[in-house]
């Protein structure tokens, strides 16, 4: 979840490496696919048959190339330095998203165009060709055409002084041997986490619910944050590493705090985000990124924690040709910038959209309770993956409606032609390209039923299942298999699975809930305990 570019989520398979992370779910029971067991006793679903769906589904998307006119890419980069500054102001303050993109699509009558992307002057070459439709967007993960080195955050790459002087896996191209080693290491960590994933999630979110309920009982705002970041941090560390944040033997002075680590993560990305600060301060942050030394103490504390209490996790890296220093820096990046950052963007979207719809809540409640009845109301991985098609579809729709990873980037490694729905365009070697996930995920030529509305049942049934190949939040299609040779988020199966766990845990406890506010101000206004207990 990029996490940021999740944000989101670069993850991870075992020492006898299997490039397919099969403990996940993807098609699971959005339809009625056959399921099988893996060695950890976790139900899984194969994704490979998705590529065998009828090719007629996409006839309208795959227009005959020869029938499309070859055009110059509209837009431009303007006056050096000055235009970069003006575009940044428009992007962050004057127009903002999504208006910035809507205005340019209308102006150029195209979903492919040139523009400057932040931060620009004085730090980076801001020139970028942007894709806002389902047909051109997959170019950014076509590895025959593009290079992904240092493209994780677009036109900007933070100083490696934030990460021990090393380039993290997220910034490496798949052809890099180190990328293969690091991603294989991460795959194995997730495989080992599978048996305890649901149990750790249950414990962590239970603590958060207690906090929110207490606030409501005191007539105080039950803010989603900071409880959400805290419970997700505890969950991810305890599930993915051999450390235990709850262990009483860990001295308080050595226990890392997520609030401190969020500052480390945010400081790296400040040049490409809008923090909501006053414009004069925001511009200073874009002009002069925060030096890593200001967050080094918090970062070093987490390193020491993992070295002291997650030694087994770091040892695993050795079998993948890595040393422990490479392992600990990449593990922190994965846990905080990819996984934690992505979930803290993704979960509020689920809560907000489900809270708006009492009828949807009633249907989800009925489905969750029917699926967990045989286990005494306990949320099991088997129930979540096999028996909750509406829950699954709702989670997929949240990923489509507001992707936790806003952009994906790549650089052309040769000249080629890219196609939108309406035209062909020449891309030159060396040009930076980016995809705007928000608009790609709302492409009306693919998502024909109310593409700008949240439709919880969109991915249900045979027709809904076909749409999964157009769910591209993860730097690849939801129907693709992530591997060490791709930049697709290897947690692309685990992210929606964990979203299902969130809804299942909610509706085993509550009949309904409501929220209000956005961002850091989002708060529960009610959590109605289930009446049949």
């Amino acid at each position: 979840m990029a996490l940021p570019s999740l944000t989101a989520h670069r993850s991870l398979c075992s020492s006898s490496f299997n490039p397919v992370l099969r403990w996940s779910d993807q098609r699971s029971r959005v339809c009625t696919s056959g399921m099988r067991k893996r060695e950890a006793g976790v139900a899984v679903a194969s994704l490979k048959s998705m590529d065998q769906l009828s090719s007629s589904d996409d006839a309208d998307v795959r227009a005959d190339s020869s029938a499309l006119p070859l055009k110059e890419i509209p837009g431009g980069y303007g006056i050096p330095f000055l235009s970069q500054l003006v575009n940044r102001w428009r992007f962050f303050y004057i127009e903002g998203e999504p208006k910035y993109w809507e205005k340019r699509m209308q102006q150029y009558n195209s979903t492919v165009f040139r523009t400057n992307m932040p931060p620009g002057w004085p730090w980076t070459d801001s020139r970028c060709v942007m894709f806002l439709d389902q047909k051109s967007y997959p170019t950014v993960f076509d590895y025959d055409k593009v290079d992904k080195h240092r493209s994780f955050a677009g036109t900007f790459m933070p100083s490696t002084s934030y990460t021990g002087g090393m380039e993290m896996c997220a910034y490496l191209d798949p052809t890099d041997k180190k990328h293969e080693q690091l991603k294989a290491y991460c795959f194995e960590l997730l495989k080992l986490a599978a048996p305890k994933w649901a149990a750790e999630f249950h414990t962590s979110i239970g603590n958060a619910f207690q906090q929110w309920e207490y606030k409501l009982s005191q007539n105080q705002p039950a803010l989603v944050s900071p409880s959400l970041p805290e419970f997700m941090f505890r969950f991810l560390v305890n599930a993915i590493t051999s450390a235990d944040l709850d262990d009483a033997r860990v001295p308080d002075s050595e226990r890392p705090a997520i609030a401190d680590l969020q500052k480390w993560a945010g400081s790296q990305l400040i040049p490409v985000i809008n923090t909501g600060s006053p414009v004069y301060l925001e511009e200073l942050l874009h002009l002069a990124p925060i030096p890593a030394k200001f967050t080094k103490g918090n970062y070093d504390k987490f390193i020491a924690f993992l070295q002291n209490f997650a030694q087994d996790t770091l040892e695993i890296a050795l079998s993948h040709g890595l040393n422990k220093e490479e392992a600990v820096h990449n593990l922190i990046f994965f846990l905080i910038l990819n996984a934690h950052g992505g979930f803290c963007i993704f979960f509020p979207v689920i809560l907000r959209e489900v809270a708006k719809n009492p009828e949807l809540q009633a249907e989800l409640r009925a489905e969750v309770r029917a699926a967990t009845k045989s286990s005494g109301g306990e949320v099991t991985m088997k129930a979540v993956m096999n028996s909750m098609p509406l829950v699954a579809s709702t989670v997929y729709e949240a990923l489509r409606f507001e992707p936790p990873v806003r952009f994906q980037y790549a650089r052309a490694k040769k000249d080629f032609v890219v196609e939108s729905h309406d035209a062909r365009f020449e891309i030159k070697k060396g040009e930076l390209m980016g995809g705007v996930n928000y608009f790609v995920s709302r492409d009306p030529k693919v998502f024909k039923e109310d593409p700008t509305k949240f439709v919880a049942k969109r991915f249900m049934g045979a027709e809904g299942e076909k749409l999964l190949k157009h769910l591209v939040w993860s730097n690849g299609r939801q129907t693709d298999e992530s591997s060490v040779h791709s930049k697709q988020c290897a947690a692309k199966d685990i992210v929606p699975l964990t979203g299902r766990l969130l809804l299942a845990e909610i509706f085993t406890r509550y009949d309904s809930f409501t929220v209000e506010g956005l961002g850091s101000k989002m708060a529960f206004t009610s959590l109605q305990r289930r009446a049949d207990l």
Side-chain angles (χ1 to χ4, degrees):
M1 248 187 151
L3 171 302
S5 170
L6 201 342
T7 192
H9 319 20
R10 194 110 270 134
S11 316
L12 341 258
C13 218
S14 83
S15 49
S16 56
F17 176 65
N18 175 356
V20 181
L21 186 63
R22 291 200 179 277
W23 74 290
S24 58
D25 68 297
Q26 273 342 301
R27 294 196 306 152
S28 78
R29 292 298 204 202
V30 175
C31 66
T32 54
S33 327
M35 304 297 295
R36 63 186 179 86
K37 303 269 187 178
R38 66 172 296 146
E39 62 239 279
V42 181
V44 298
S46 172
L47 309 181
K48 291 184 177 178
S49 61
M50 290 299 293
D51 292 333
Q52 300 169 5
L53 292 171
S54 171
S55 59
S56 63
D57 309 339
D58 283 334
D60 55 337
V61 176
R62 298 189 318 274
D64 182 359
S65 343
S66 62
L68 295 174
L70 183 65
K71 295 183 178 180
E72 288 288 328
I73 300 175
Y77 307 118
I79 303 169
F81 307 122
L82 177 61
S83 293
Q84 295 179 35
L85 185 64
V86 170
N87 280 153
R88 186 169 74 218
W89 286 350
R90 286 175 173 168
F91 184 84
F92 284 131
Y93 322 122
I94 299 171
E95 297 167 7
E97 296 184 90
K99 187 177 179 181
Y100 182 90
W101 302 112
E102 292 170 345
K103 184 174 181 179
R104 279 148 189 79
M105 280 195 291
Q106 294 169 1
Q107 178 182 352
Y108 304 130
N109 191 30
S110 176
T111 53
V112 176
F113 51 83
R114 301 183 185 276
T115 189
N116 293 299
M117 286 299 289
W121 181 84
W123 299 109
T124 66
D125 180 350
S126 62
R127 297 174 295 177
C128 196
V129 180
M130 302 303 290
F131 304 139
L132 281 76
D133 67 84
Q134 282 271 340
K135 195 173 182 185
S136 61
Y137 174 80
T139 303
V140 300
F141 42 85
D142 183 339
Y143 303 107
D144 290 334
K145 298 175 180 177
V146 304
D147 185 291
K148 302 286 274 188
H149 185 218
R150 296 186 176 182
S151 65
F152 177 72
T155 65
F156 173 79
M157 178 178 166
S159 168
T160 57
S161 58
Y162 278 100
T163 53
M166 304 176 190
E167 286 188 9
M168 297 292 95
C169 182
Y171 288 100
L172 301 177
D173 187 74
T175 57
D176 192 312
K177 179 66 175 178
K178 190 63 67 179
H179 176 277
E180 179 179 345
Q181 294 170 321
L182 288 166
K183 199 168 181 185
Y185 170 53
C186 290
F187 269 125
E188 183 167 1
L189 294 184
L190 284 184
K191 178 183 177 181
L192 294 172
K196 56 181 178 177
W197 197 262
E200 289 291 355
F201 189 85
H202 173 81
T203 300
S204 296
I205 198 171
N207 294 334
F209 282 134
Q210 289 178 8
Q211 294 177 32
W212 289 320
E213 286 187 24
Y214 176 77
K215 290 289 187 181
L216 289 172
S217 70
Q218 300 298 307
N219 294 318
Q220 297 176 10
L223 293 171
V224 173
S225 292
S227 297
L228 172 60
E230 289 171 352
F231 106 71
M232 282 306 303
F233 180 56
R234 183 248 175 233
F235 161 62
L236 290 168
V237 170
N238 287 8
I240 293 174
T241 80
S242 55
D244 184 355
L245 282 170
D246 303 322
D247 192 335
R249 294 172 295 179
V250 179
D252 289 341
S253 61
E254 297 180 30
R255 187 174 281 110
I258 186 55
D260 294 333
L261 291 165
Q262 285 179 307
K263 293 174 185 176
W264 167 79
S267 296
Q268 295 179 65
L269 298 175
I270 272 179
V272 293
I273 62 176
N274 188 343
T275 67
S277 302
V279 173
Y280 68 87
L281 178 57
E282 195 79 48
E283 274 302 289
L284 284 176
L285 295 173
H286 293 144
L287 291 171
I290 297 172
K293 64 182 179 182
F294 290 116
T295 61
K296 184 172 175 57
N298 301 326
Y299 185 71
D300 288 348
K301 184 177 181 178
F302 196 25
I303 288 176
F305 172 81
L306 293 171
Q307 289 174 336
N308 292 332
F309 302 102
Q311 295 178 16
D312 291 347
T313 301
L314 300 181
E315 288 281 352
I316 293 170
L318 302 180
S319 64
H320 294 285
L322 304 167
N323 60 50
K324 290 185 181 180
E325 186 178 6
E326 292 171 321
V328 74
H329 290 292
N330 277 274
L331 178 59
I332 292 176
F333 195 96
F334 163 63
L335 287 170
I336 306 304
L337 248 164
N338 291 141
H340 187 272
F343 278 122
C344 287
I345 295 170
F346 175 44
F347 278 6
V349 176
I350 298 177
L351 295 174
R352 183 191 69 208
E353 296 305 319
V354 172
K356 290 177 182 178
N357 191 334
E359 292 182 3
L360 173 60
Q361 290 194 47
E363 291 183 75
L364 290 169
R365 181 174 67 240
E367 181 177 89
V368 167
R369 294 181 188 176
T372 57
K373 186 176 181 180
S374 62
S375 59
E378 178 185 352
V379 177
T380 64
M381 197 70 75
K382 180 178 179 181
V384 167
M385 296 177 68
N386 291 345
S387 307
M388 301 184 188
L390 177 57
V391 168
S393 181
T394 301
V395 170
Y396 286 138
E397 178 68 349
L399 287 166
R400 182 204 71 87
F401 188 67
E402 201 163 307
V405 182
R406 294 167 59 197
F407 306 103
Q408 295 290 357
Y409 294 93
R411 194 171 294 278
K413 59 185 182 184
K414 63 181 180 181
D415 295 352
F416 61 89
V417 173
V418 66
E419 297 181 10
S420 69
H421 293 305
D422 307 309
R424 296 180 296 145
F425 306 94
E426 291 183 333
I427 300 291
K428 297 298 183 181
K429 180 180 179 179
E431 286 195 288
L432 184 67
M433 301 159 289
V436 185
N437 282 349
Y438 181 89
F439 284 94
V440 170
S441 296
R442 298 178 180 219
D443 188 332
K445 293 195 175 183
V446 171
F447 299 103
K448 298 178 181 180
E449 180 190 352
D450 296 325
T452 61
K453 294 182 179 179
F454 188 93
V455 180
K457 298 181 180 180
R458 188 183 302 274
F459 293 96
M460 294 183 71
E463 292 304 311
E465 181 181 2
K466 293 174 185 178
L467 289 175
L468 283 174
K469 59 188 166 185
H470 300 295
L471 191 61
V472 290
W473 65 273
S474 62
N475 207 6
R477 300 180 186 278
Q478 194 63 42
T479 52
D480 292 343
E481 305 284 8
S482 181
S483 81
V484 297
H485 303 298
S486 78
K487 293 301 292 183
Q488 183 170 26
C489 172
K492 61 97 178 175
D493 290 339
I494 298 169
V495 168
L497 173 61
T498 311
R500 297 186 197 187
L501 288 172
L502 173 67
L503 287 176
E505 291 286 352
I506 288 174
F507 288 109
T508 56
R509 286 174 169 85
Y510 306 105
D511 284 336
S512 64
F513 68 96
T514 55
V515 300
E516 64 180 17
L518 297 171
S520 61
K521 296 183 178 179
M522 177 182 282
F524 286 99
T525 51
S526 71
L527 285 167
Q528 185 64 47
R529 273 284 184 179
R530 61 184 293 178
D532 60 343
L533 290 181

